[in-house]
Coordinates of all heavy atoms in Angstrom, one line a residue:
G1 N 69.7 93.7 146.4 CA 70.8 92.7 146.6 C 71.1 92.5 148.2 O 72.0 91.7 148.5
G2 N 70.2 93.1 149.0 CA 70.2 92.8 150.4 C 71.6 93.3 151.1 O 71.9 92.7 152.1
G3 N 72.3 94.2 150.5 CA 73.4 94.8 151.0 C 74.7 93.9 150.7 O 75.8 94.3 151.2
E4 N 74.6 92.9 150.0 CA 75.8 92.0 149.7 C 76.7 92.7 148.8 O 77.9 92.4 148.8 CB 75.3 90.7 149.1 CG 74.5 89.8 150.0 CD 75.3 89.3 151.1 OE1 76.5 89.0 150.9 OE2 74.8 89.1 152.2
N5 N 76.3 93.7 148.1 CA 77.2 94.4 147.2 C 77.6 95.8 147.6 O 78.3 96.5 146.9 CB 76.5 94.5 145.8 CG 75.1 95.0 145.8 OD1 74.6 95.4 146.9 ND2 74.4 94.9 144.8
I6 N 77.2 96.2 148.9 CA 77.5 97.5 149.3 C 79.0 97.8 149.5 O 79.5 98.8 149.4 CB 76.7 97.9 150.6 CG1 76.8 99.4 150.8 CG2 77.2 97.1 151.7 CD1 75.9 99.9 151.8
A7 N 79.8 96.6 149.9 CA 81.2 96.8 150.1 C 81.9 97.3 148.8 O 82.8 98.1 148.8 CB 81.7 95.5 150.6
D8 N 81.4 96.6 147.7 CA 82.1 97.1 146.5 C 81.8 98.6 146.1 O 82.5 99.3 145.6 CB 81.5 96.3 145.3 CG 81.8 94.8 145.4 OD1 82.9 94.5 146.0 OD2 81.2 93.9 144.9
V9 N 80.5 99.0 146.5 CA 80.1 100.4 146.3 C 80.9 101.3 147.2 O 81.4 102.4 146.7 CB 78.6 100.5 146.5 CG1 78.2 102.0 146.6 CG2 77.8 99.8 145.4
L10 N 81.1 101.0 148.4 CA 81.9 101.8 149.3 C 83.3 101.9 148.8 O 84.1 102.9 149.0 CB 81.8 101.3 150.7 CG 80.4 101.4 151.3 CD1 80.3 100.7 152.7 CD2 79.9 102.8 151.4
E11 N 83.9 100.8 148.3 CA 85.2 100.7 147.8 C 85.5 101.8 146.7 O 86.5 102.3 146.5 CB 85.6 99.3 147.3 CG 87.0 99.2 146.8 CD 88.0 99.3 147.9 OE1 87.7 99.3 149.1 OE2 89.2 99.5 147.6
V12 N 84.4 102.0 145.9 CA 84.5 103.0 144.9 C 84.8 104.4 145.4 O 85.3 105.3 144.7 CB 83.3 103.0 144.0 CG1 83.2 104.1 142.9 CG2 83.2 101.7 143.2
G13 N 84.4 104.7 146.7 CA 84.6 105.9 147.3 C 83.2 106.7 147.3 O 83.2 107.9 147.6
L14 N 82.1 106.1 147.1 CA 80.8 106.8 147.1 C 80.4 107.2 148.5 O 80.6 106.5 149.5 CB 79.7 105.8 146.5 CG 78.3 106.3 146.4 CD1 78.3 107.4 145.4 CD2 77.3 105.2 146.2
R15 N 79.9 108.5 148.5 CA 79.5 109.1 149.8 C 78.1 109.6 149.6 O 77.7 109.9 148.4 CB 80.5 110.2 150.2 CG 81.9 109.7 150.3 CD 82.8 111.0 150.4 NE 82.6 111.7 149.2 CZ 83.1 113.0 149.0 NH1 83.8 113.6 150.0 NH2 82.9 113.7 148.0
P16 N 77.4 109.8 150.7 CA 76.0 110.4 150.5 C 75.9 111.6 149.7 O 75.0 112.0 149.0 CB 75.6 110.7 152.1 CG 76.3 109.6 152.8 CD 77.6 109.5 152.1
E17 N 77.0 112.6 150.0 CA 76.9 113.9 149.3 C 77.1 113.7 147.8 O 76.9 114.8 147.1 CB 78.0 114.8 149.9 CG 79.4 114.3 150.0 CD 79.6 113.6 151.4 OE1 78.7 113.0 151.9 OE2 80.8 113.8 151.8
D18 N 77.5 112.6 147.3 CA 77.7 112.5 145.9 C 76.3 112.3 145.2 O 76.3 112.4 143.9 CB 78.5 111.3 145.5 CG 79.9 111.4 146.0 OD1 80.5 112.5 145.9 OD2 80.6 110.4 146.4
F19 N 75.2 112.1 145.9 CA 73.9 111.9 145.2 C 73.3 113.3 144.9 O 73.5 114.3 145.8 CB 73.0 111.2 146.2 CG 73.3 109.7 146.2 CD1 74.2 109.2 147.1 CD2 72.6 108.8 145.3 CE1 74.5 107.8 147.1 CE2 72.9 107.5 145.4 CZ 73.8 107.0 146.3
Y20 N 72.7 113.4 143.8 CA 72.1 114.8 143.3 C 70.8 115.0 144.3 O 70.6 116.1 144.6 CB 71.8 114.7 141.9 CG 71.1 115.9 141.5 CD1 71.8 117.1 141.4 CD2 69.8 115.9 141.1 CE1 71.2 118.3 140.9 CE2 69.1 117.1 140.6 CZ 69.9 118.3 140.6 OH 69.3 119.4 140.1
R21 N 70.0 114.0 144.4 CA 68.7 114.2 145.1 C 68.8 114.0 146.6 O 69.4 113.0 147.0 CB 67.8 113.2 144.4 CG 66.3 113.5 144.9 CD 65.4 112.5 144.1 NE 64.0 112.9 144.1 CZ 63.1 112.3 143.5 NH1 63.3 111.3 142.7 NH2 61.8 112.7 143.7
D22 N 68.3 114.9 147.3 CA 68.4 114.8 148.7 C 67.8 113.5 149.3 O 68.2 113.0 150.3 CB 67.7 116.0 149.4 CG 68.5 117.3 149.3 OD1 69.8 117.2 149.0 OD2 68.0 118.3 149.5
A23 N 66.7 113.1 148.7 CA 66.0 111.8 149.2 C 67.0 110.6 148.9 O 67.0 109.8 149.8 CB 64.7 111.6 148.4
H24 N 67.7 110.7 147.9 CA 68.6 109.6 147.5 C 69.8 109.6 148.6 O 70.3 108.6 148.9 CB 69.1 109.7 146.1 CG 68.1 109.5 145.1 ND1 68.2 109.7 143.8 CD2 66.8 108.9 145.3 CE1 67.0 109.4 143.2 NE2 66.2 109.0 144.0
K25 N 70.2 110.9 149.0 CA 71.3 110.9 149.9 C 70.8 110.3 151.2 O 71.6 109.5 151.9 CB 71.6 112.4 150.2 CG 72.2 113.1 149.0 CD 72.4 114.6 149.4 CE 72.9 115.4 148.3 NZ 73.1 116.9 148.5
E26 N 69.6 110.5 151.6 CA 69.1 110.1 152.9 C 68.9 108.5 152.8 O 69.3 107.9 153.8 CB 67.7 110.7 153.2 CG 67.1 110.3 154.4 CD 67.8 110.5 155.7 OE1 68.6 111.5 155.7 OE2 67.8 109.8 156.6
I27 N 68.4 108.0 151.7 CA 68.2 106.5 151.6 C 69.6 105.9 151.6 O 69.9 104.9 152.3 CB 67.5 106.3 150.3 CG1 66.0 106.7 150.4 CG2 67.5 104.7 150.0 CD1 65.3 106.7 149.1
F28 N 70.6 106.4 150.9 CA 71.9 105.8 150.9 C 72.6 105.8 152.4 O 73.2 104.9 152.7 CB 72.9 106.5 149.8 CG 74.2 105.8 149.9 CD1 74.4 104.6 149.3 CD2 75.4 106.5 150.5 CE1 75.7 104.0 149.3 CE2 76.6 105.8 150.4 CZ 76.8 104.7 149.8
T29 N 72.3 106.9 153.1 CA 72.9 107.1 154.4 C 72.3 105.9 155.3 O 73.0 105.3 156.1 CB 72.6 108.5 155.0 OG1 73.2 109.4 154.3 CG2 73.0 108.5 156.4
A30 N 70.9 105.7 155.2 CA 70.2 104.7 156.0 C 70.8 103.3 155.6 O 71.0 102.5 156.4 CB 68.8 104.8 155.8
I31 N 71.0 103.0 154.3 CA 71.6 101.8 153.9 C 72.9 101.6 154.5 O 73.3 100.5 155.1 CB 71.7 101.6 152.3 CG1 70.3 101.6 151.7 CG2 72.4 100.6 151.9 CD1 70.2 101.7 150.2
A32 N 73.8 102.6 154.5 CA 75.1 102.5 155.0 C 75.1 102.3 156.5 O 75.8 101.5 157.1 CB 75.9 103.9 154.7
E33 N 74.1 102.9 157.3 CA 74.0 102.7 158.7 C 73.6 101.2 159.0 O 74.1 100.6 159.9 CB 72.9 103.7 159.3 CG 73.4 105.1 159.4 CD 72.4 106.1 159.9 OE1 71.3 105.6 160.1 OE2 72.7 107.2 160.1
L34 N 72.7 100.7 158.2 CA 72.3 99.2 158.4 C 73.5 98.4 158.2 O 73.7 97.4 158.9 CB 71.2 98.9 157.4 CG 69.8 99.5 157.7 CD1 68.9 99.2 156.5 CD2 69.2 98.9 159.0
Y35 N 74.3 98.7 157.1 CA 75.5 97.9 156.8 C 76.5 98.0 158.0 O 77.1 97.0 158.4 CB 76.2 98.4 155.6 CG 77.4 97.7 155.2 CD1 77.4 96.5 154.7 CD2 78.7 98.4 155.3 CE1 78.7 95.7 154.3 CE2 79.8 97.7 155.0 CZ 79.9 96.4 154.5 OH 81.0 95.8 154.3
N36 N 76.7 99.1 158.5 CA 77.7 99.4 159.7 C 77.2 98.6 160.9 O 78.1 98.2 161.7 CB 77.9 100.8 159.9 CG 78.7 101.6 158.8 OD1 79.5 100.9 158.1 ND2 78.5 102.8 158.7
R37 N 75.8 98.4 161.0 CA 75.3 97.8 162.1 C 75.3 96.3 162.0 O 74.9 95.5 162.8 CB 73.9 98.3 162.5 CG 73.8 99.7 163.0 CD 72.4 100.2 163.0 NE 72.3 101.6 163.6 CZ 71.9 101.7 164.9 NH1 71.6 100.7 165.7 NH2 71.9 102.9 165.4
D38 N 75.7 95.9 160.9 CA 75.6 94.4 160.5 C 74.2 93.9 160.4 O 73.9 92.7 160.7 CB 76.5 93.6 161.3 CG 76.9 92.3 160.7 OD1 76.9 92.2 159.4 OD2 77.2 91.3 161.4
D39 N 73.2 94.8 160.1 CA 71.9 94.4 160.0 C 71.6 94.0 158.5 O 72.2 94.4 157.6 CB 70.9 95.6 160.4 CG 70.9 95.9 161.8 OD1 71.4 95.0 162.6 OD2 70.6 97.0 162.2
S40 N 70.5 93.3 158.3 CA 70.1 92.9 156.9 C 69.5 94.1 156.2 O 69.0 95.0 156.9 CB 69.1 91.7 157.0 OG 67.9 92.2 157.7
I41 N 69.7 94.1 155.0 CA 69.2 95.3 154.2 C 68.1 94.8 153.2 O 68.3 94.1 152.3 CB 70.3 96.0 153.4 CG1 71.4 96.4 154.4 CG2 69.8 97.1 152.5 CD1 72.6 97.0 153.7
D42 N 66.9 95.3 153.4 CA 65.8 95.1 152.5 C 64.7 96.2 152.7 O 65.1 97.1 153.6 CB 65.2 93.7 152.8 CG 64.7 93.5 154.2 OD1 64.2 94.5 154.9 OD2 65.0 92.4 154.8
S43 N 63.7 96.1 152.0 CA 62.7 97.2 152.1 C 62.2 97.4 153.5 O 61.9 98.6 153.9 CB 61.5 97.0 151.1 OG 60.9 95.7 151.4
L44 N 62.0 96.3 154.3 CA 61.4 96.5 155.6 C 62.4 97.1 156.6 O 62.1 98.1 157.3 CB 61.0 95.1 156.2 CG 59.8 94.5 155.4 CD1 59.5 93.0 156.0 CD2 58.6 95.4 155.5
T45 N 63.7 96.6 156.6 CA 64.6 97.2 157.5 C 65.0 98.6 157.1 O 65.2 99.4 158.1 CB 65.9 96.2 157.6 OG1 66.5 96.2 156.2 CG2 65.6 94.9 158.0
L46 N 65.0 98.8 155.9 CA 65.4 100.2 155.4 C 64.2 101.1 155.8 O 64.4 102.2 156.2 CB 65.5 100.2 153.9 CG 65.9 101.6 153.2 CD1 67.2 102.1 153.9 CD2 66.0 101.4 151.7

């Protein structure tokens, strides 16, 4: 989705520590950092 839907996800209250798998925690953290930097989100930027 290119980060267009991450605002809805954050509104739910999702946090990195809610993920079971450590790799997933790390990937979500990186996505959130891109979002906070107002960068595009895709496989390359991630």
